[in-house]
Amino acid sequence: MTAKNNFITFIFLVISLCCASQTGSTGSLRALLDKISKDHNVKFSMIDEEVAMYSVYLPQNQLTLQQKIGYIEAHTRLKFESTEPRRYTVYNDISAQNPLCGYLIDKKTGKGIADALITVGKSRVTSDANGYFSIPKAESCKLVILAAGYLALTTDAVRLYIPGCLDIFMHDQVTLLDEVIAERYLATGISRKDNGTLIIRPQRFGILPGLTEPDVLQTMQQLPGVISIDETVSNINVRGGTHDQNLFLWNGIRMFQTSHFFGLLSAFNPLQASEISIFKNGSPASFGESVSSAVSITTHTPFTENRYTFAADLLNASFHAAVNLSANDALQVSGRRSYSDVWGTPTFRAYERRIFQNTTITDVAENEETPVHGSEDFYFYDMSLSYRHAFNEKHVLYTDAIAIKNSLDIFQQTETSGRSGSLAQDNFGGSLIWDSQWNENHYSDVQVYYSYHSLEGRNEALDSDQVTQQNNTIKNKGLRLNYDFILTPRFIFGAGYHLDEMSVRNFDEVNLPEFSKNDKAVSLTHAAIGAFNYTSDNERTKINVGIRGNYFAKYKTFLAEPRLTVTHSLQKGLTLTLAAEQKSQTLSQVIDRQQDFLGIEKRRWVLAEDNIPIQKSTQASAGISYTKNGWLATAEGFYKRVKGITSDSQGFQNQFEFEGSTGEYKVLGYELLVQKKFNHLYGWASYSYNDNDYHFDSYLPPGFRNNFAVSHSVTSAAIYEHDGLRLALGTKWRTGSPQTEPQSFSIDPDNPANSQIIYKSPNSSRLGDNVQVNFSASKAWDVRGIKLTASCSVLNIFDRENVISRYYRVNKAGNTVESVNTYGLGITPNVGVKVVF
């Protein structure tokens, strides 16, 4: 016999012996009882439903009757009671005092998992602080377990039918984020990772000065290094960058419109069960198309029980519902709408004055004020949906959709003329994500997405019969593939591919002089992604390295973008962080400022072309953080350089307003924060400094201060939280925005078209300092399982008149020079109520 045949014979012999070691494979308990009844001439009385779910290995035939009964009792929750000779009653021992039960245990730590949702059939329970749970009698069905931070688990409910409680081990979801060094950073619900990443969880949000709800982008402006030079969320400047240089993702869908009310409110519903990650530097290689910060919002955070939320304040009403439809299906739906078109509240009127009427046009020559009156019909809404379906514990499908809309009709009038205008903004998006954990070491996700943005504007000039119409649309679709491999807990590798198509259309039409333009451009980008994460054996050093290789087919250009973050614990509570990255983007915004539209900005997106280069950025930073006894102190210095910017994206309103050029800016700065907790009271103060300069070769002079340069900025707050009561008082101070003052005026009385302004050196002066003191308060009550929260806030308590921008222009009708001041919000009260059940 050959060696091959000997091997085959050995395999069959082993299989035969294994099969002979038991009388059969797993079989139904009912069939086993029928066999025992026949073999031992006994009768069993039972309720079929109580034994139908059991499948057990058949005991050996040579066992006695009592040994077989003992075997079954040891492997099930069944009890056998002898009622008469050779007759037994079979019953479950489940009762209120002895329920089906289990313990959820963290596989790594061995600790119990609290607040997990356990679903079996139509029953739902949650685990206690020790991970213990119990359920009523269960039929033959699946047990589905959802716990925040752990992989979903599906198992057979019959596993609970054992003596005692079943230990169920759960595995962490893979995460590449670093250790939390501050669970409460500025406010409850905001945490800071040791690599500098900021995490905001609106559902856990405490309170911040001036806010009645956790507005994502307003909250973002509380962070060191993040400001808005015009007090809006549509113009967020991160370390000197412009708003369009920030990447905003909602469940992986790129959002091109991020605000309501033309920048005064975030477009993301604060009631959503979401998690927001903010990267100022060292962002993951999976993020592209941004040369400044990246903001990722996800609503895929698990929830353990159904929750319904309704909220209203003096600007809008909103709702959110999080519902477990079944053991494998969960749905989140949210919506929000303003009622300004029905009820003009005091808060709305304050916002209205800021956007539409809070501009004073001053005749410089005569020192007279010419008021502009107007009326507006405005509303906004947003809606979102997130649906989760778990096929099993390894594969989950997410379906997401979002819709955002703003609509404005305006009529403006002076003493001599009246004109109308309109502006509409929309952003719609959808996504499918297939998330998989193949085993403890291999993870993957696949996403397809689509995003649509539209801007339509129409304006009639006050001093002429000119009518301007604009339309800007973006269609963005793509595919993402990500894979993570955990070689060991110390070494994690990642790889991915990103296919992205961007289609941009711009339509412009003017009647006087007659002009029409319709441009469309399409860009296709292929990106290969690699990542490596290392943690030292003592967990004191962590290194995250990433590389993103972009090929822009439209431009036939390849760009490599390295990313790096290094954190090292010098000692307990003292951590050093280094970060560096290179990024690029092909899409940017162009700002059209029409003087007759009261300074309202109408921004449109454009793709890189011959006169609009691809923007490229390089950033490096080094920071240190210290935590001990309730103290938190952080210090970080950074250098940032962005090349390929266009003057049209910077909003010049001086001698360079109509002088198109490309250039760069460099920022050198640092950010400091100190925070201390005293029992129920804690306070913090932050300071930011940056030296931010342009360089445009074709301008004279080529180098000068950036339009968004804020040399010094200080933010502070004191917050009290206890027994459902929250109070917050805070102050914001910053140096004024750069300004270019006129040096002289050239007025031609015979031909006003030839009149012009002669300016001083660009951005050689500043406006006055901006100061704002804000207050918020809230109180929560629990009433029979319903949580009621009442809140109030006051922005700019002292009603300080902050000039946030000023520019000059020639009034051709009066042949005079005018200065246009734009002021920040005056005193603005708001009250709100929220109900959660």
Side-chain angles (χ1 to χ4, degrees), residues 402-414:
I402 188 170
I404 298 170
K405 184 175 181 62
N406 282 256
S407 178
L408 166 70
D409 292 307
I410 187 170
F411 180 78
Q412 293 179 308
Q413 186 174 16
T414 65

Side-chain angles (χ1 to χ4, degrees), residues 241-258:
T242 55
H243 187 77
D244 61 313
Q245 293 172 346
N246 302 317
L247 175 68
F248 294 93
L249 298 175
W250 184 86
N251 288 335
I253 304 168
R254 183 167 183 182
M255 304 305 299
F256 302 95
Q257 178 185 341
T258 59

